[in-house]
Amino acid sequence: MDQPQPNVDEVVQAIAAETDTPTETVSQIYADTLADFRVEARVFDYLPLLVAKRVRSKLKHSKRKH
C-alpha cells in the first residue's frame, strides 16, 4: 500500500515559516535535495519526509553560522 504523499507546497511553506527563510529559497533547496536523493534512492515512499528533514537541518545549521 502506498503512503499518502505530502503536498510539497505545504511542506515548503512550513519549513519557510519554521526557519524564517523565503519560500522561494526553501523551494529551490527542496528541489535540489530531492533530485540528489532520487539519484541513489531504491525506495521512494519516504523520500519527501527525508528531504524535508534534510532541508530543515541544512537551513537551521546555516542560520546558526550567522
Side-chain angles (χ1 to χ4, degrees):
M1 178 188 277
D2 288 334
Q3 296 289 323
Q5 297 297 312
N7 181 325
V8 173
D9 291 334
E10 290 176 7
V11 172
V12 167
Q13 292 283 340
I15 295 171
E18 290 170 24
T19 61
D20 193 31
T21 305
T23 305
E24 297 80 20
T25 302
V26 176
S27 182
Q28 185 61 53
I29 294 171
Y30 186 95
D32 292 346
T33 304
L34 181 60
D36 290 345
F37 272 57
R38 284 184 186 264
V39 170
E40 296 192 30
R42 294 183 183 186
V43 177
F44 295 90
D45 290 346
Y46 299 103
L47 226 50
L49 177 67
L50 296 171
V51 170
K53 182 175 179 173
R54 174 70 54 91
V55 171
R56 276 188 187 92
S57 176
K58 191 180 294 188
L59 289 170
K60 288 179 181 178
H61 180 71
S62 72
K63 294 283 184 183
R64 278 189 254 144
K65 284 183 168 180
H66 292 103

